[in-house]
Amino acid sequence: MPDSQRSELIRALPYARRYARALTGNQPRGDLLVAESLRDLSTRSTNSLSARLNLYRAISQRATGMSDEAQNHVLSMPQRELLLLTSLEGLSTVQAATILDLDPQDATEQLTKAREIIRSVSRTSILIIEDEPIIAMDIEDLVIRCGHDVAGIAHTQAEAIALAKETHPGLILADINLGEGGNGMEAVAEIMKTMSVPVIFVTAYPECLLTGNTLEPSFVITKPFEPLTLAIATYQAITGGVPVP
């Protein structure tokens, strides 16, 4: 593999990890999928796609063959992939269609149908962990617009732990840096000692977080985000992604 292509793949890894983790449901399975996809790429001839798009394509091709019978999904695999590629990863519909070997018109129709379904399912109560009051209010508005209930808003690590015990939310939406109020990941780690709940982390710098070196989030969305992005991430977090053998 040429050095230039290797460098491009290295820069693409954080985004590939985010996509694979959201698709599979957790960090170990997602990172395994990325590792296997990298091996696939090393044996293929080059094409006109960028290294990042080729990596997404390899991940999707491997994920397509995975069993989905045990999962509570109302969306097909291509629909979930299209939603994640366009909303979470910020690709155009044409780029996503190319990655998935779909006709662009078919991809557009599937995306439209999937978005309609997403807006009508996966309603739950969400605990928001965010230290900035104005940002917390904006996120609360997004949560409500997505059709979810707000279990509570915590501005500090201690408040988050207490509110989780009190409200037993269906999902946690957590900022990572809580300023002087602590750390969102540490708050979630403490909450997880007494309950099991899906978690979505929000950060302005996902590439700094998804290194694959330590225990990291399975679901990460980038600030600022749109209601549809939150709705899709919530759906994937609640349904648990795609199992990997």
Side-chain angles (χ1 to χ4, degrees):
M1 181 183 298
D3 289 342
S4 60
Q5 186 178 0
R6 186 178 294 106
S7 297
E8 285 186 48
L9 282 172
I10 291 173
R11 288 194 295 270
L13 277 177
Y15 306 99
R17 290 189 178 108
R18 176 173 62 182
Y19 174 57
R21 291 174 187 184
L23 194 60
T24 60
N26 67 36
Q27 177 190 350
R29 293 194 308 230
D31 288 350
L32 175 61
L33 184 56
V34 171
E36 292 173 339
S37 299
L38 283 170
R39 286 196 292 270
D40 290 343
L41 285 178
S42 67
T43 63
R44 295 180 186 174
S45 58
T46 58
N47 55 37
S48 60
L49 295 178
S50 68
R52 181 174 173 180
L53 297 190
N54 265 318
L55 188 48
Y56 286 143
R57 184 173 192 169
I59 290 168
S60 292
Q61 287 176 338
R62 275 197 166 266
T64 299
M66 296 174 186
S67 171
D68 201 23
E69 296 177 356
Q71 300 301 305
N72 184 29
H73 288 301
V74 295
L75 299 177
S76 68
M77 172 68 84
Q79 287 174 333
R80 297 202 306 278
E81 291 172 321
L82 284 166
L83 286 170
L84 290 173
L85 288 169
T86 55
S87 295
L88 189 68
E89 299 304 320
L91 302 185
S92 68
T93 303
V94 172
Q95 287 175 315
T98 300
I99 288 168
L100 301 176
D101 293 323
L102 296 175
D103 175 77
Q105 181 61 38
D106 179 41
T108 299
E109 293 173 358
Q110 290 205 50
L111 266 174
T112 299
K113 182 177 179 181
R115 287 166 179 161
E116 292 173 353
I117 293 172
I118 281 290
R119 292 188 179 99
S120 64
V121 300
S122 300
R123 177 170 179 169
T124 190
S125 62
I126 298 180
L127 170 61
I128 300 168
I129 306 175
E130 170 59 61
D131 64 313
E132 295 287 345
I134 294 178
I135 296 177
M137 290 175 62
D138 287 340
I139 294 175
E140 180 182 22
D141 179 60
L142 283 177
V143 167
I144 294 172
R145 285 163 58 192
C146 285
H148 302 296
D149 300 317
V150 177
I153 299 176
H155 300 293
T156 68
Q157 185 173 329
E159 285 182 4
I161 295 169
L163 265 176
K165 291 180 180 179
E166 176 185 340
T167 63
H168 295 279
L171 183 137
I172 296 174
L173 184 63
D175 190 8
I176 293 172
N177 184 358
L178 301 179
E180 295 182 358
N183 181 285
M185 292 186 71
E186 292 180 6
V188 168
E190 186 65 28
I191 292 168
M192 290 299 194
K193 291 180 180 179
T194 58
M195 67 183 72
S196 178
V197 56
V199 181
I200 299 171
F201 284 95
V202 293
T203 175
Y205 306 101
E207 69 277 8
C208 297
L209 177 66
L210 302 174
T211 64
N213 295 326
T214 60
L215 183 62
E216 298 164 347
S218 300
F219 297 93
V220 180
I221 56 179
T222 305
K223 289 182 177 179
F225 55 87
E226 299 296 323
L228 183 61
T229 303
L230 175 60
I232 293 166
T234 300
Y235 173 82
Q236 285 294 109
I238 291 174
T239 56
V242 181
V244 176

